Amino acid sequence: MFLNGKSAIVTGASRGIGRAIALKLAQSGASVMINYVSNARAAEEVQDQILAGGGRAAVFKADVSSYDEAQKLVSAGAAEFGGVDILVNNAGITRDNLLLRMKEEDWDAVLTVNLKGAFNTTRAVMKPMLKARWGRIIAVSSIIGLRGNAGQANYAAAKAGLIGFTKSVAREVGSRGITANAIAPGFISTEMTGKLSETVKQKMLSEIPLGRFGEPDDIANLACFLAGDAAGYITGQVIAVDGGLAI
Ligand code: NAP
């Protein structure tokens, strides 16, 4: 229970990686604000699971791509739990297509949720974290942000942007006890990757040295570590959790 007394906001925590991070932060003692945008039932199930385990959790609907809604999410987290110590910028979407066929709205949607969403929430937690002189900002980027990927120019740009953003935040607020790091997952089994074809999945699997797809818990384990005091001297880093895919 090394996160006892800490409060966290996890964006996009109703499903997949965000859900696993929310559950693990709660298991480690943190109070968790579970954010979602459309799937209220899934978010409430995450909350129920945390409450059943004796933890503290609340649910808040907000589209992180909206500056106003992101501010309300952070205010709600601070009001519910008396502060915001840990922010996990996890909410993300894909709208894949080759550049020649990519629509402007698909570019905008992916950049706005994945990248501007992180600006919106991080901007909002700055004041409470600076005041507390302690904070953890964790971004869920992607190895696609490091390597690029055909058919994902919008997603790669957003995830690379998230890395630049996180490193800049790390430089700005390091002197106030706040760390900012990015996790770069490889291929993790969630609904996001579930929609890929069997051929694409098998090709991907053949490139993973550890010989398996990742599970949401593989990412949650690192997020939890980064959230604690044990990671207090790590900032501005991009850590791949990808079974060796990006070696
Ligand atoms: P997922 O299963 O599709 O879940 C996405 C989550 O984001 C859901 O909780 C969804 O909420 C939420 N969300 C979407 N748009 C939102 C918005 N505008 N505002 C607030 N919440 C929003 O995705 P995942 O695979 O767990 O991915 C989570 C993160 O990891 C993403 O940033 C993704 O890019 C990154 N990632 C994933 C992989 C992978 O292999 N899966 C690899 C690298 C990086 P609702 O349930 O309400 O829709």
Side-chain angles (χ1 to χ4, degrees):
M1 303 295 275
F2 66 99
L3 295 177
N4 254 340
K6 300 289 187 208
S7 69
I9 295 175
V10 183
T11 67
S14 45
R15 293 183 281 124
I17 292 171
R19 175 181 183 277
I21 293 174
L23 292 173
K24 212 164 269 286
L25 287 173
Q27 278 164 17
S28 306
S31 304
V32 183
M33 180 58 86
I34 299 153
N35 160 249
Y36 71 100
V37 68
S38 59
N39 213 327
R41 188 139 176 216
E44 280 157 14
E45 277 171 19
V46 179
Q47 182 189 26
D48 289 347
Q49 205 170 320
I50 292 173
L51 297 180
R56 288 181 75 196
V59 164
F60 197 87
K61 176 180 168 142
D63 179 348
V64 295
S65 66
S66 152
Y67 186 80
D68 286 349
E69 289 187 33
Q71 309 304 301
K72 284 181 187 148
L73 166 65
V74 171
S75 300
E80 184 79 29
F81 302 126
V84 183
D85 304 299
I86 301 156
L87 170 67
V88 183
N89 286 316
N90 166 79
I93 58 166
T94 51
R95 296 276 187 280
D96 299 350
N97 220 331
L98 293 173
L99 191 53
L100 199 60
R101 294 192 202 124
M102 189 173 284
K103 294 189 185 124
E104 185 187 359
E105 59 256 37
D106 292 338
W107 172 272
D108 287 345
V110 169
L111 267 290
T112 311
V113 174
N114 294 271
L115 183 54
K116 190 186 169 209
F119 161 73
N120 290 342
T121 51
T122 309
R123 170 80 174 73
V125 299
M126 278 295 101
K127 267 194 189 158
M129 281 189 186
L130 287 169
K131 204 168 156 209
R133 299 189 82 85
W134 196 96
R136 294 283 185 267
I137 295 160
I138 300 162
V140 181
S141 178
S142 169
I143 56 160
I144 304 300
L146 296 169
R147 306 200 319 168
N149 196 24
Q152 290 197 302
N154 51 359
Y155 185 76
K159 293 303 191 185
L162 197 49
I163 289 170
F165 173 74
T166 302
K167 287 185 177 184
S168 303
V169 173
R171 285 184 183 275
E172 277 192 31
V173 295
S175 64
R176 308 293 282 270
I178 302 167
T179 68
N181 291 287
I183 301 175
F187 188 110
I188 310 299
S189 298
T190 67
E191 284 176 38
M192 183 178 271
T193 45
K195 53 193 179 194
L196 296 172
S197 75
E198 225 19 72
T199 322
V200 170
K201 283 190 204 167
Q202 283 314 314
K203 186 176 175 296
M204 196 67 87
L205 187 58
S206 70
E207 291 174 19
I208 301 173
L210 287 182
R212 68 167 176 90
F213 294 134
E215 295 300 327
D217 269 350
D218 291 317
I219 308 304
N221 286 333
L222 177 58
C224 243
F225 169 70
L226 289 173
D229 280 326
Y233 202 57
I234 301 172
T235 198
Q237 300 305 301
V238 186
I239 305 170
V241 181
D242 66 348
L245 178 59
I247 293 171

